[in-house]
């Protein structure tokens, strides 16, 4: 199974350790095409040599190639929102993970969309349970 993981880059990197944790959970079930999103050094060293067009086209190609899309949506990011919209249009199952603090609300365009699964998470096991349940649900659907 191939996963496309979305997480903020230019929107802010404060949750990079959480992205790394989610990527690790996904890797237990298959290949993560955007493994670099958990690693600041890799983003800086490899992706800075690509133009914005090269990044856009490569990432869209990876979404096409993926089976499931998982997005961490706590840090607002134009790129992540765009990727979610494109993934929906392609008919990909999309899981949006949100861990907002007080006064922090998820965009209505994600929270109110029937085409994505939005899950709020806290820490540790809960995140693992949410991710595993989403994967198993869609693995079963693919096998039918
Ligand atoms: C490195 C440092 C600054 O910019 C870079 C290279 N940029 C990107 N490299 C890889 N993926 C990117 C880059 N910019 C956006 N993306 C994609 O959009 C990722 O797959 C993320 O899920 C999402 C992040 O969008 P922004 O708007 O937060 O950057």
């Amino acid at each position: 199974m191939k996963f496309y993981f979305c997480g903020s880059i230019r929107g802010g990197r404060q949750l990079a350790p959480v992205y790394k944790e989610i990527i690790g959970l996904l890797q237990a079930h298959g290949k993560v095409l955007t493994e670099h999103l958990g690693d600041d050094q890799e983003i800086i060293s490899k992706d800075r040599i690509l133009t914005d067009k090269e990044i856009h086209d490569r990432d869209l190609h990876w979404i096409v190639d993926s089976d499931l899309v998982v997005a961490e949506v706590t840090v607002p990011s134009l790129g992540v929102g765009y990727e979610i919209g494109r993934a929906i249009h392609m008919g990909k199952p999309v899981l949006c993970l949100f861990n907002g603090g007080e006064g922090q609300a998820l965009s209505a365009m994600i929270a109110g969309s029937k085409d994505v699964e939005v899950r709020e998470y806290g820490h540790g096991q809960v995140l693992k349970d949410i991710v595993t349940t989403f994967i198993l649900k869609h693995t079963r659907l693919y096998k039918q």
Side-chain angles (χ1 to χ4, degrees):
M1 185 164 272
K2 282 186 258 183
F3 302 101
Y4 188 91
F5 174 75
C6 317
S8 172
I9 295 180
R10 294 181 192 171
R13 291 293 294 164
Q14 57 270 41
L15 289 189
V18 178
Y19 302 161
K20 193 168 192 159
E21 182 186 344
I22 297 167
I23 289 164
L25 293 171
L26 296 173
Q27 283 173 328
H29 299 269
K31 182 175 170 56
V32 178
L33 301 171
T34 49
E35 188 181 4
H36 53 279
L37 279 182
D39 188 334
D40 280 333
Q41 281 317 310
E42 200 165 320
I43 284 177
I44 290 163
S45 63
K46 288 196 183 151
D47 288 298
R48 280 255 164 99
I49 57 173
L50 298 176
T51 66
D52 285 353
K53 183 180 177 355
E54 285 168 338
I55 291 167
H56 172 274
D57 293 354
R58 178 198 64 180
D59 286 5
L60 268 199
H61 178 78
W62 278 341
I63 297 175
V64 170
D65 198 33
S66 68
D67 299 303
L68 300 180
V69 174
V70 176
E72 210 297 340
V73 293
T74 308
V75 177
S77 153
L78 279 174
V80 171
Y82 174 81
E83 291 174 327
I84 291 169
R86 296 297 298 254
I88 290 171
H89 194 66
M90 292 175 204
K92 305 286 176 182
V94 181
L95 173 66
C96 294
L97 298 164
F98 182 65
N99 184 15
E102 202 159 310
Q104 194 183 356
L106 180 58
S107 166
M109 297 308 288
I110 302 299
S113 171
K114 64 173 176 40
D115 297 318
V116 299
E117 200 173 313
V118 177
R119 292 281 177 268
E120 290 208 31
Y121 68 92
H123 294 287
Q125 193 63 28
V126 179
L127 190 51
K128 185 176 180 183
D129 287 349
I130 295 168
V131 168
T132 307
T133 302
F134 177 74
I135 293 169
L136 289 180
K137 184 168 118 189
H138 290 285
T139 307
R140 266 187 238 117
L141 289 177
Y142 280 118
K143 281 182 179 163
Q144 281 171 6

